[in-house]
Amino acid sequence: MKIKIDGKVCEANEGETVLDVATRVGVKIPTLCYLKKFGPTSSCRMCLVEVEGQRGLVTACSFKVKEGMNIKTNTPAIINARKINLELLLSNHDFNCTSCVRDGSCELQALKEEYGADESKFAGEKINDGLDESSPAIVRDNSKCILCKKCVAVCEKMQEIGAIKETKRGFETKIACAFDTELNRSSCVGCGQCVLVCPTGALRESIEIEKVEKILSDDSLIKVVAPAPSVRVAISEELGFNKNYPQSAYLPTLLREMGFDKVFDVNFGADLTVMEEAEEFLTRLKSHKNLPMFTSCCPAWVEYAKKFYPEILPNISTCKSPMMMLGAVVKTYYAEKLGVSPQKIAVVAIMPCTAKKKEARQKNEQQLQDVDAVLSVREFVYLLKKKKINTKKLVPSGYDSMLGESTGAGVIFGASGGVMEASLRTLNDILNGKNNLKLDYEEVRGLNSVKLASVDLAGKKVNVAVVSGLKNVGELIDKIKRNEIQVDFVEVMSCPGGCINGGGMPIKNSCTQNYSRVVEPRMKEIYALDKINEFRKSHQNKEVNEFRKWNAKTHGTKLHTIHGKI
Amino acid sequence: MKSVEDIVKIRDRRRKYNHLRFRENEPLRPLQDTEILICSSTGCSSCGTDKIIEAIKSECEKKGISNKVRITKIGCFGLCAMGPIITFKPTDIFYTKVKVEDAERIVNEHIINGKILEDKIYVNEDGTKAETISKFNFYKKQKFVARKDLRLISPDEIEDYISLDGYMGLIKSLSMTPEQIIEEVENSKLRGRGGAGFPTGKKWRTAYYEKSSEKYVICNGDEGDPGAFMDRTILESNPHSILEGMAIAGRAIGASRGIIYVRAEYKLAGEKLARAIESARKYGLLGENILGSDFDFDIDISLGAGAFVCGEETALIRSVEGKRGEPETKPPYPAVSGLWGKPTVINNVETLTNIPAIILNGANWYRQFGTENSSGTKIFALSGKIRNTGLIEAPIGTTLSEIIFDIGGGVPNGKKFKAVQIGGPSGGCVPIEHLDKKVDYESLKELGTMMGSGGMIVVDEDTCMVDFAKFFLDFTCDESCGKCVPCRIGNKRMKEILTKICEGKGTMADLDTLEELAHHIKNTSLCGLGQSAPNPVLSTLRYFRKEYEEHIKNKKCPAGVCKNLISYEISSKCIGCGLCKRGCPVSAIKGEVRKIHEIDPALCIKCGLCESKCPVRAINKIR
């Protein structure tokens, strides 16, 4: 059908909304509360447009197109209505923008500037609900909340956690946990998907920038840093490098520029995890105990299991996550090699994740943290910008030896299916006693939320499942419990698509948050990085093997943990 | 399971058996027995009707006349200000404000000796006594369609309802096609009584055309306007008319399930409904194969938690679904996608109660009441500064002055009428110069108000219109669901500005902001609550702008309500009795005995207690 938007005739399809068509043909209509996947809520009233023959203004996000419809999106009346709505929102918003983590990336701020909205025009009482900093992963700040409720939608519908929800009504309405309890005592698992859709600074990771700055300025410390696999495929989205090399090549240089002494790699931890997990899986397979085995790399998933499926905890691999393994290795093996006390080493991890911040708080046997601080990609970028590092003039460099080597198997941990593929590569080789067998397991790759495959490992058929997004995780576990599917090994990632869509990744415009558009390019890059590696199997990682030899002798590093009930 | 013939037989039998009851236009037969009809609706029963019944019963026992006296709890008489109300059959004597202590006199003097208790007789505003209903000025200009059975039948007796042609509309509809039913309703020009006045037949037709194996009929009983209680009394007094109306709606659109959404605070209504549903099922008037036909229809009750916004149809649906009661954008309308995403007709209680009569008597009969565009009658709830507080029913098109003065009895205590707020917090006020206007959907809209649920709050000269607007805005601010920006924040800001003006801190620029915000909220809010919330402000600004300006420019509240703008003074008339001094809660009054007292303005909280205590009227409010 044909419709008219601002005088231009455009092609439209049955069932599309005005916003759908406008977005497709490049007419910008502002939105704050719209999340495509979960349908319109029409609460922010920013996408108001005029439709000929309709009384008053209608919301483009919900209004379906009809043949011959004549739509106007920018009349003075529309602009004024949007402006007043912005001014009303601003009148109840803590606009200490300069000290806000979202300064510059805040959608409300951008619209305020675009529409010239006056934040003090309707000055009045503001809702002041205090800061919820109880969770080491996520901070909620209702004084910045504009009640778009996108966080509620992802928590409730995408992740099926339902940790937060609107309570009270009228001006008093606010987002809160059940019984107004703290986030840390709620069902929140810290995945941070809510942070990705927050248009303002009302939801953010628990900020550890100061902690890292303190570490960096302490001369008595050996400052170790390690980035996660997925970090290297997202930093250029925020920074922009010269395109001579893949963006990942610049990452170690950036970290050194920031003042870290040693740049190690979480990919090393990933390779190590594959080795440990493969051994564990084979043991379980032989003894038929605690099968299917679930992976344990994702801390939000482990937290989810503790809160929603405690009965399944014995089935989760006892392996620490790659980050925690690396931290433990640094504080034992590396410290011994260096001949310094572990207290003298500070480990900072750069992660795509908010839940990792909570995971890092776990104490080791010496009551120390193996990982001292965790920065999200956003915090990392913030620090870089603060340090005014010129990203255009960077020269690529590599990771430091001893704990910096990694294989292609390590890097694919960043995408959903990667952990499974890495494990399969190694398991197949081990069981066949060879080193050159199958590399690509296409059946566990891709954007699908659940991927099931049957794999032949030295004549033994092993059923594997790869699942991402906690709603899908819950459904899969239920199926397994009802014996509807038979699986031996399950990879679980809390965030849809895996760590490349983690809660600590750069925030795209939350209104146009589009899963495939954000995740797909990052996923492609992950597998490209895998391909250019000389070694693509974890058991080919020499530094890992060297460490494991040392650890077999000394048992100096604890790589396993018990996932206790809450 | 009963058949159509069974129900007709019950009706005819009950009619004869019901000889004690009085029916309109039917001559009464003199009898020796007495029947006492006592209102059992919330208003009267909260004043102790149960105790009165007990007292009369035990008095009758004492006198040994129990077998000669029958006491029946019936529905609401409408004249709530005068409750508890009892009437006698066959004499038709009407007693008001009956107390437990009156039981003995009622039995001894009235029943046994046939003497009228003069002090219990209602006095019209012109001083004439009204011993029977026919002598009440209150009832003279009223026309009963929706409320016709209320004061005649017991809500607990399904056969009472049947005896007055109850369920005959449903029986008739069983032999009609859905098309015919919808056509009849369309032709009747019945419009939704819940507020917006949407044509009921059109709504039904939309749902009828939708193809779906499942459809729903919902009765909206989430009455929430301050001062409105017409739905409540219908639910309490005549629940069967709702069930019948819903079943006819179900038959028309092809639904087999109905849900009555009623607020949990309406406890009595919920009980009466539950009992009515149970007995309707027993009589085969609800359930599978109604009266042996192929039509299945059953009704459940869903209790609301009391949020005003749940009266909005999409919010109501969400609430029934167990979700937070928040409205959703329309379209799609519930008639297309409603409860559980299925086509759903939502009608207000009063709308549904009209349906059986329309089907039974035909659209033409119904159209004889009301105006060309708005047919039928409308129930109004009169409250505020009006003599006959209560419920009335009048043809649409009756003038405001007829309703307020002829039926309502005007403003009491010799005060002057100032304005009437129509349609509750979503409506607007109408000043004295428009009292000649007819009450119909269009005229009210022109006046800047709306029919709404039909609440009418009358205010007199002692009401400050700024404060009055603030009162309603307070209500909408409290009851806003908080979903959309204009309603959530805009109304709050308007309320803040009104508070400022009432405190004497307003500026003329505030009036512009107020108007800008009011129009913005009206035009851009998500649901009817937000879209109509600024009406009280807009209408008071329209008719009483001077009063606003008086507050701002001269820091005066002409009505003497806004505390920051008034003060109290003791004149030389003071006899120094000290009554005011002793009564003052903040010890702001000083003075020696027999000498003129003084008020310390710094301490005075302007509660006005001293003024009311002064025996010589020496204390004056300075406006």
Side-chain angles (χ1 to χ4, degrees):
Chain A
M1 68 177 90
K2 285 202 166 31
I3 62 166
K4 240 190 211 173
I5 300 183
D6 293 335
K8 265 193 294 184
V9 178
C10 354
E11 203 52 56
N13 305 315
E14 186 72 42
E16 275 188 309
T17 63
V18 173
L19 185 64
D20 289 336
V21 182
T23 312
R24 190 156 40 72
V25 301
V27 174
K28 202 192 148 201
I29 296 175
T31 61
L32 282 170
C33 69
Y34 182 66
L35 248 188
K36 192 169 182 171
K37 265 206 234 160
F38 304 108
T41 57
S42 314
S43 63
C44 74
R45 317 306 282 175
M46 284 308 295
C47 66
L48 293 169
V49 295
E50 225 175 84
V51 175
E52 207 177 83
Q54 280 291 320
R55 190 168 49 99
L57 303 173
V58 301
T59 42
C61 65
S62 65
F63 206 82
K64 296 256 165 65
V65 291
K66 270 199 193 112
E67 177 69 51
M69 200 176 256
N70 190 3
I71 300 146
K72 285 186 183 135
T73 73
N74 56 8
T75 65
I78 294 169
I79 303 292
N80 191 47
R82 289 179 188 160
K83 190 177 160 197
I84 294 178
N85 274 336
L86 277 170
E87 285 166 339
L88 286 171
L89 278 174
L90 288 163
S91 77
N92 189 26
H93 183 78
D94 168 22
F95 45 78
N96 286 319
C97 296
T98 46
S99 63
C100 177
V101 286
R102 294 295 300 275
D103 189 23
S105 71
C106 170
E107 289 163 36
L108 183 66
Q109 190 185 39
L111 285 172
K112 166 182 153 31
E113 277 156 24
E114 188 184 333
Y115 283 83
D118 175 2
E119 69 258 29
S120 52
K121 183 170 173 191
F122 299 117
E125 190 194 326
K126 287 184 183 192
I127 190 153
N128 190 2
D129 189 50
L131 210 56
D132 182 354
E133 294 181 296
S134 63
S135 160
I138 294 164
V139 173
R140 288 192 329 110
D141 183 354
N142 273 343
S143 70
K144 291 184 190 294
C145 176
I146 58 166
L147 286 168
C148 70
K149 299 183 200 165
K150 286 189 284 198
C151 53
V152 175
V154 292
C155 192
E156 196 173 72
K157 294 179 188 164
M158 188 171 90
Q159 300 291 65
E160 276 193 359
I161 302 289
I164 45 174
K165 183 95 182 159
E166 62 269 43
T167 62
K168 300 202 175 174
R169 64 186 186 205
F171 188 73
E172 311 273 300
T173 313
K174 62 172 187 179
I175 305 296
C177 303
F179 312 113
D180 224 347
T181 180
E182 292 175 325
L183 194 61
N184 209 26
R185 299 180 60 204
S186 74
S187 56
C188 173
V189 298
C191 71
Q193 285 297 310
C194 53
V195 179
L196 291 184
V197 294
C198 183
T200 70
L203 278 162
R204 52 186 186 253
E205 62 274 52
S206 157
I207 304 291
E208 294 182 57
I209 289 172
E210 267 179 46
K211 207 195 258 177
V212 172
E213 280 179 322
K214 208 175 141 203
I215 290 171
L216 285 172
S217 62
D218 189 341
D219 290 336
S220 68
L221 290 174
I222 297 166
K223 301 173 265 289
V224 171
V225 69
S230 51
V231 174
R232 62 207 74 199
V233 299
I235 37 168
S236 81
E237 291 169 19
E238 295 282 306
L239 294 167
F241 303 109
N242 65 52
K243 294 273 168 66
N244 299 342
Y245 298 92
Q247 51 172 320
S248 59
Y250 299 105
L251 186 56
T253 318
L254 282 172
L255 293 165
R256 286 193 185 94
E257 290 260 343
M258 274 177 75
F260 288 103
D261 300 322
K262 286 287 167 191
V263 180
F264 291 146
D265 202 347
V266 175
N267 289 11
F268 172 93
D271 278 334
L272 180 55
T273 305
V274 171
M275 301 308 295
E276 294 292 326
E277 217 163 55
E279 268 181 16
E280 186 185 5
F281 178 64
L282 289 177
T283 321
R284 290 196 191 189
L285 207 56
K286 255 182 221 155
S287 64
H288 288 286
K289 259 191 190 159
N290 293 331
L291 284 175
M293 185 171 94
F294 291 84
T295 59
S296 60
C297 333
C298 174
W301 144 241
V302 175
E303 183 93 356
Y304 175 81
K306 286 180 182 178
K307 285 179 172 168
F308 293 85
Y309 293 94
E311 69 277 15
I312 218 159
L313 286 173
N315 290 54
I316 297 178
S317 159
T318 58
C319 287
K320 288 182 180 173
S321 74
M323 177 188 87
M324 294 304 281
M325 280 203 187
L326 184 83
V329 174
V330 170
K331 297 256 165 129
T332 50
Y333 173 69
Y334 182 66
E336 191 191 293
K337 296 276 175 198
L338 225 58
V340 297
S341 125
Q343 276 99 324
K344 285 284 144 202
I345 306 175
V347 179
V348 175
I350 316 291
M351 305 304 285
C353 187
T354 44
K356 287 279 173 196
K357 285 172 178 280
K358 187 172 182 186
E359 189 191 19
R361 300 274 175 104
Q362 290 166 13
K363 299 269 165 68
N364 63 17
E365 304 74 49
Q366 284 83 42
Q367 293 306 304
L368 292 172
Q369 276 182 222
D370 282 337
V371 177
D372 297 272
V374 173
L375 289 182
S376 70
V377 180
R378 296 184 294 269
E379 288 170 281
F380 173 52
V381 168
Y382 175 85
L383 257 181
L384 286 173
K385 284 183 176 165
K386 198 175 171 191
K387 292 215 163 221
K388 298 207 166 52
I389 292 167
N390 187 343
T391 53
K392 297 280 180 223
K393 286 191 179 161
L394 291 175
V395 180
S397 65
Y399 293 86
D400 286 311
S401 57
M402 204 175 314
L403 306 173
E405 187 187 335
S406 69
T407 69
V411 78
I412 56 173
F413 263 55
S416 161
V419 180
M420 183 55 70
E421 183 167 350
S423 302
L424 291 175
R425 287 176 190 175
T426 293
L427 280 167
N428 196 27
D429 275 12
I430 293 176
L431 288 170
N432 285 302
K434 287 182 184 163
N435 228 349
N436 54 355
L437 294 174
K438 192 174 170 184
L439 275 166
D440 296 325
Y441 289 84
E442 294 286 347
E443 56 270 49
V444 294
R445 293 185 191 179
L447 291 165
N448 288 346
S449 51
V450 182
K451 291 162 273 190
L452 300 171
S454 194
V455 185
D456 181 84
L457 296 177
K460 188 172 169 49
K461 211 183 90 182
V462 172
N463 293 320
V464 301
V466 170
V467 58
S468 71
L470 287 173
K471 179 191 176 193
N472 314 312
V473 174
E475 285 170 5
L476 184 80
I477 295 176
D478 289 340
K479 273 188 196 161
I480 293 171
K481 284 171 72 177
R482 290 195 300 263
N483 281 326
E484 282 170 26
I485 48 172
Q486 298 297 326
V487 281
D488 305 305
F489 195 5
V490 186
E491 179 209 291
V492 183
M493 293 293 161
S494 296
C495 298
C499 306
I500 46 174
N501 190 27
M505 290 295 256
I507 293 175
K508 300 289 159 186
N509 183 330
S510 70
C511 303
T512 54
Q513 182 84 22
N514 184 319
Y515 180 60
S516 58
R517 208 189 308 160
V518 176
V519 177
E520 212 169 356
R522 291 177 185 165
M523 195 176 264
K524 255 191 200 148
E525 206 169 334
I526 283 272
Y527 287 104
L529 286 176
D530 168 34
K531 249 193 179 132
I532 58 168
N533 244 301
E534 187 189 345
F535 298 112
R536 294 175 62 194
K537 287 168 179 167
S538 299
H539 53 277
Q540 295 166 335
N541 187 324
K542 292 187 202 94
E543 287 180 0
V544 166
N545 291 336
E546 208 158 299
F547 158 75
R548 294 188 81 221
K549 259 184 244 157
W550 171 86
N551 201 34
K553 255 189 270 163
T554 61
H555 298 288
T557 311
K558 288 234 156 40
L559 299 172
H560 292 260
T561 183
I562 287 161
H563 308 296
K565 283 183 191 174
I566 298 174
Chain B
M1 167 71 70
K2 298 218 168 22
S3 66
V4 172
E5 293 72 38
D6 293 336
I7 299 295
V8 175
K9 255 185 231 161
I10 289 170
R11 178 190 68 179
D12 298 341
R13 192 192 69 216
R14 266 309 279 237
R15 263 189 189 167
K16 278 179 204 155
Y17 170 73
N18 243 14
H19 58 278
L20 276 175
R21 300 289 169 77
F22 114 95
R23 278 173 53 75
E24 265 177 329
N25 311 324
E26 255 179 44
L28 290 170
R29 284 198 252 158
L31 278 154
Q32 285 143 3
D33 294 352
T34 299
E35 178 167 29
I36 298 176
L37 303 181
I38 184 157
C39 170
S40 65
S41 237
T42 298
C44 288
S45 56
S46 64
C47 296
T49 44
D50 281 341
K51 280 185 185 152
I52 295 168
I53 292 171
E54 281 309 308
I56 294 176
K57 270 188 183 160
S58 74
E59 202 61 39
C60 288
E61 254 164 54
K62 264 193 227 163
K63 303 286 172 197
I65 54 165
S66 292
N67 57 341
K68 293 267 182 190
V69 177
R70 194 166 91 184
I71 304 177
T72 311
K73 282 186 182 180
I74 58 156
C76 174
F77 285 85
L79 194 54
C80 305
M82 292 292 142
I85 289 168
I86 65 173
T87 63
F88 297 87
K89 294 291 155 203
T91 55
D92 246 0
I93 301 296
F94 193 107
Y95 283 164
T96 57
K97 295 199 173 173
V98 178
K99 296 193 182 73
V100 177
E101 303 88 86
D102 300 326
E104 196 221 318
R105 289 168 61 214
I106 287 170
V107 175
N108 287 338
E109 295 181 27
H110 182 106
I111 299 177
I112 295 174
N113 295 328
K115 218 178 111 198
I116 290 177
L117 306 180
E118 292 293 334
D119 58 318
K120 295 284 141 189
I121 296 294
Y122 176 80
V123 183
N124 285 317
E125 62 278 9
D126 55 15
T128 53
K129 286 204 163 185
E131 291 93 355
T132 58
I133 280 198
S134 55
K135 291 185 181 168
F136 275 70
N137 288 350
F138 177 73
Y139 289 110
K140 271 181 192 156
K141 285 202 173 170
Q142 294 198 52
K143 177 71 212 168
F144 296 108
V145 175
R147 287 172 54 81
K148 83 176 157 57
D149 301 339
L150 262 57
R151 56 200 161 80
L152 303 174
I153 61 169
S154 162
D156 295 330
E157 299 292 331
I158 188 171
E159 296 200 359
D160 265 21
Y161 180 66
I162 293 172
S163 75
L164 300 184
D165 284 338
Y167 287 108
M168 292 304 142
L170 175 62
I171 288 173
K172 190 173 170 194
S173 76
L174 291 176
S175 59
M176 293 163 81
T177 64
E179 279 279 359
Q180 285 171 328
I181 300 172
I182 292 170
E183 228 175 87
E184 200 70 61
V185 175
E186 273 176 342
N187 288 341
S188 76
K189 295 201 173 171
L190 172 68
R191 295 170 66 169
R193 299 290 190 245
F198 190 82
T200 306
K202 201 172 160 191
K203 202 183 250 185
W204 289 17
R205 189 170 288 281
T206 313
Y208 169 65
Y209 281 147
E210 283 301 312
K211 286 196 172 60
S212 172
S213 56
E214 252 173 86
K215 293 181 186 179
Y216 296 97
V217 176
I218 296 182
C219 166
N220 183 348
D222 192 67
E223 186 175 47
D225 285 8
F229 50 104
M230 55 284 283
D231 293 349
R232 177 181 205 159
T233 33
I234 292 172
L235 292 170
E236 285 170 359
S237 306
N238 195 4
H240 285 288
S241 66
I242 307 298
L243 308 188
E244 188 183 355
M246 287 176 77
I248 294 170
R251 170 91 181 142
I253 67 161
S256 56
R257 258 199 80 190
I259 286 155
I260 303 178
Y261 187 84
V262 56
R263 40 180 56 224
E265 305 98 294
Y266 283 10
K267 195 167 167 276
L268 189 61
E271 287 167 12
K272 301 278 174 203
L273 276 172
R275 199 171 303 169
I277 292 172
E278 204 183 304
S279 47
R281 282 185 190 142
K282 222 188 259 168
Y283 279 71
L285 294 159
L286 284 179
E288 282 176 18
N289 302 104
I290 289 178
L291 299 179
S293 70
D294 59 350
F295 175 50
D296 305 337
F297 193 78
D298 209 347
I299 295 173
D300 286 312
I301 300 173
S302 177
L303 292 181
F308 178 64
V309 74
C310 286
E312 201 280 342
E313 51 186 7
T314 55
L316 185 150
I317 287 172
R318 285 189 61 129
S319 174
V320 172
E321 287 174 351
K323 298 176 188 150
R324 181 179 159 95
E326 274 183 354
E328 272 170 51
T329 35
K330 296 184 275 191
Y333 293 94
V336 176
S337 171
L339 186 63
W340 313 115
K342 306 288 179 207
T344 304
V345 157
I346 300 195
N347 284 137
N348 165 268
V349 169
E350 194 187 332
T351 317
L352 286 167
T353 201
N354 276 301
I355 297 291
I358 291 173
I359 297 300
L360 187 62
N361 304 320
N364 287 335
W365 168 83
Y366 192 72
R367 277 220 310 274
Q368 65 176 305
F369 315 109
T371 63
E372 179 58 32
N373 291 322
S374 316
S375 64
T377 57
K378 174 81 191 85
I379 305 176
F380 298 99
L382 303 184
S383 62
K385 305 288 175 64
I386 192 157
R387 198 167 178 268
N388 297 333
T389 300
L391 291 177
I392 66 136
E393 183 173 356
I396 291 176
T398 309
T399 66
L400 274 169
S401 79
E402 280 175 309
I403 291 176
I404 291 164
F405 291 97
D406 300 347
I407 299 172
V411 181
N413 305 327
K415 294 278 183 182
K416 263 188 5 214
F417 172 90
K418 188 171 190 177
V420 55
Q421 172 81 14
I422 307 172
S426 315
C429 68
V430 179
I432 193 156
E433 55 267 35
H434 291 298
L435 280 185
D436 57 334
K437 293 278 156 55
K438 287 181 171 178
V439 178
D440 61 52
Y441 292 93
E442 284 74 25
S443 314
L444 289 182
K445 207 171 169 196
E446 265 167 46
L447 290 172
T449 176
M450 62 192 266
M451 187 77 90
S453 57
M456 286 197 182
I457 302 175
V458 176
V459 295
D460 64 11
E461 53 194 308
D462 288 343
T463 306
C464 166
M465 296 314 279
V466 186
D467 184 65
F468 191 57
K470 197 177 105 207
F471 166 81
F472 286 109
L473 210 54
D474 240 344
F475 179 84
T476 30
C477 277
D478 268 355
E479 294 294 339
S480 157
C481 75
K483 186 176 181 182
C484 78
V485 176
C487 179
R488 180 178 77 236
I489 310 176
N491 281 325
K492 168 85 176 171
R493 296 294 173 246
M494 288 223 297
K495 192 178 116 184
E496 285 170 348
I497 294 173
L498 287 180
T499 309
K500 238 174 99 184
I501 295 175
C502 287
E503 287 171 352
K505 295 172 190 157
T507 63
M508 288 305 282
D510 281 337
L511 285 191
D512 298 335
T513 314
L514 206 55
E515 271 189 314
E516 184 186 8
L517 269 177
H519 287 294
H520 174 75
I521 296 165
K522 216 169 148 67
N523 293 334
T524 65
S525 288
L526 178 87
C527 80
L529 190 152
Q531 285 159 9
S532 60
N535 282 349
V537 175
L538 283 171
S539 70
T540 46
L541 269 172
R542 177 170 162 187
Y543 298 118
F544 298 95
R545 199 182 179 91
K546 278 222 172 73
E547 220 170 304
Y548 278 86
E549 290 177 358
E550 198 71 18
H551 280 74
I552 294 167
K553 287 182 183 161
N554 303 328
K555 310 289 173 210
K556 296 252 181 253
C557 176
V561 172
C562 298
K563 288 195 173 162
N564 274 24
L565 306 180
I566 56 165
S567 60
Y568 285 91
E569 236 177 43
I570 302 180
S571 74
S572 54
K573 278 203 269 175
C574 175
I575 51 168
C577 67
L579 267 178
C580 57
K581 188 176 159 183
R582 262 172 273 147
C584 180
V586 290
S587 306
I589 301 176
K590 289 182 182 65
E592 286 171 36
V593 183
R594 293 202 193 117
K595 283 186 181 158
I596 294 176
H597 282 45
E598 248 179 63
I599 300 173
D600 181 351
L603 293 176
C604 176
I605 54 163
K606 290 143 193 175
C607 65
L609 258 178
C610 53
E611 190 190 18
S612 63
K613 289 255 157 106
C614 181
V616 294
R617 296 198 170 200
I619 302 180
N620 301 312
K621 193 196 276 181
I622 312 293
R623 296 175 183 192

